[in-house]
Amino acid sequence: MDDERSSSDGDSGVEPGPDAESVRETYDRIADHFASTREYPWPEVAAFLGREPGGGADLDDDAATLADGAGPALRSRGAESTGGSGIDADDRAERVGLDLGCGNGRHAELLADVTERVLAVDASAGLLRTARERAADRGFDARLVQGDAASLPLRGDRVDVGVYVATLHHLRPRERRVASLSELARVLRPGGRALVSVWSTAHDRFDAASGFDTTVDWTLPGGETLPRFYHIYDPAEFDADLAASDLRTVDSVVSSGNCYAVVTPERGGDGSGV
C-alpha cells in the first residue's frame, strides 16, 4: 500500500541491535497472555480521541483514573487534530490513524471509530496476531504492519491522528528513543496530532527522582518469568527528549503516574510550527 516504504526511504540511521531483538522475542513469547490482560483502552487515550473507554483500565496499566486536569487537556488538544470541537466519527473520511506499538489492537479499535484507515505497527509478530484476532472478533479494520518504532516502514506525511503509548520506554539507548519520536514526526501530516505516553518516576511504585533503566518481569501462567527492558522517565527528561526530536509539544501532563504529551510535527501546517 502507498503508506508503506522501503527500509532505505527516510531511514533514521539507528540500528535495532540486540536489545530490540530481545524485546521483540519476549513479547512474541508472552503475546497471548499479555493480550488476554489488555481488554480495555487507557482512559487517557479515549479522552484524546473523544471516545468512551468502554470499561475499566487494566490493573497493570496504571491508568485507572485521569489526574486532575488531564482529561480536559487531552480532549481539547486531541480535538485540535481535526480543527473542530472534537474528533467526530462523522468526519472520519480520508483521515488516517496510527497506533504505534499497537499490542493487541485495543487502541486501534478506538482509532477505527474516528479515522477511515488505521495503521497498526508493532515489532512483535505475536502481538500483531492477537490484534488481527481482535479486529476479526470486534469487526474493525486495521492495516497491521510489523516494524521498528525507530525506523518506521511508513511513508511520511500520512497520519492525521496517532497514538504511541507504553512503547517508547522499551527502546534503548536514548538516541533510539529520540529517533523514534522523530519518526513519529516524519509520518504525521503537518498539523497532525499524536498522544505519546511513558512510564514515569511520578508513579508511587518507583522511589527515584531521576530517570533510570530497569527490567520488569512478566510472569506467565506456569510461573516462568521473562524480563522486559524499561526506561523509567522523569517528567523533565520526557519533555527534554520530545524537545530533542522533530516533534513540538502541544501539551504535557502527568496522569496516574504516567507521562503524557500531545505532540505535532515541528514543521508547519497549523500556523504555529516552524
Side-chain angles (χ1 to χ4, degrees):
M1 65 182 293
D2 64 359
D3 289 298
E4 296 188 37
R5 66 169 173 90
S6 67
S7 60
S8 62
D9 179 14
D11 189 357
S12 67
V14 180
E15 294 297 326
D19 293 331
E21 294 292 328
S22 175
V23 170
R24 184 178 67 191
E25 290 169 2
T26 294
Y27 275 97
D28 280 345
R29 291 194 56 191
I30 70 174
D32 289 330
H33 186 231
F34 182 86
S36 72
T37 66
R38 296 298 187 272
E39 176 64 19
Y40 300 111
W42 285 20
E44 289 82 355
V45 175
F48 173 69
L49 296 176
R51 303 289 96 187
E52 292 296 327
D58 305 302
L59 293 178
D60 191 50
D61 280 347
D62 307 315
T65 58
L66 293 176
D68 290 345
L74 296 176
R75 279 191 292 271
S76 64
R77 296 308 185 181
E80 290 182 16
S81 66
T82 59
S85 59
I87 300 179
D88 192 335
D90 292 337
D91 298 329
R92 62 194 290 271
E94 300 185 7
R95 195 183 297 153
V96 175
L98 170 66
D99 185 359
L100 181 51
C102 67
N104 71 340
R106 55 186 169 156
H107 295 132
E109 184 176 357
L110 279 188
L111 279 164
D113 286 341
V114 299
T115 62
E116 184 177 46
R117 287 191 298 160
V118 177
L119 307 174
V121 179
D122 205 286
S124 166
L127 286 176
L128 289 171
R129 174 177 46 78
T130 68
R132 184 175 298 108
E133 293 168 355
R134 184 183 182 105
D137 290 343
R138 304 296 183 91
F140 68 93
D141 292 325
R143 172 75 175 190
L144 303 176
V145 181
Q146 186 173 13
D148 176 13
S151 183
L152 292 174
L154 306 174
R155 296 192 182 278
D157 296 343
R158 290 292 188 271
V159 175
D160 299 285
V161 185
V163 174
Y164 187 16
V165 300
T167 299
L168 179 67
H169 50 220
H170 288 310
L171 277 59
R172 66 174 167 182
R174 177 180 186 254
E175 289 75 15
R176 278 182 54 75
R177 294 192 290 272
V178 173
S180 179
L181 293 168
S182 291
E183 278 288 88
L184 176 59
R186 181 182 64 79
V187 300
L188 282 170
R189 295 184 191 274
R193 290 285 195 274
L195 179 67
V196 182
S197 85
V198 293
W199 281 19
S200 169
T201 57
H203 196 282
D204 56 15
R205 78 162 67 185
F206 301 119
D207 184 18
S210 301
F212 62 97
D213 292 346
T214 189
T215 57
V216 178
D217 286 343
W218 183 271
T219 303
L220 290 167
E224 180 184 7
T225 60
L226 291 92
R228 299 170 296 160
F229 170 80
Y230 279 79
H231 179 76
I232 309 302
Y233 272 92
D234 68 72
E237 178 191 21
F238 180 53
D239 289 342
D241 276 10
L242 290 167
S245 76
D246 295 334
L247 292 167
R248 179 173 60 82
T249 300
V250 178
D251 213 339
S252 182
V253 297
V254 174
S255 180
S256 304
N258 298 326
C259 291
Y260 292 85
V262 177
V263 297
T264 192
E266 187 66 56
R267 62 192 183 283
D270 63 351
S272 55
V274 175

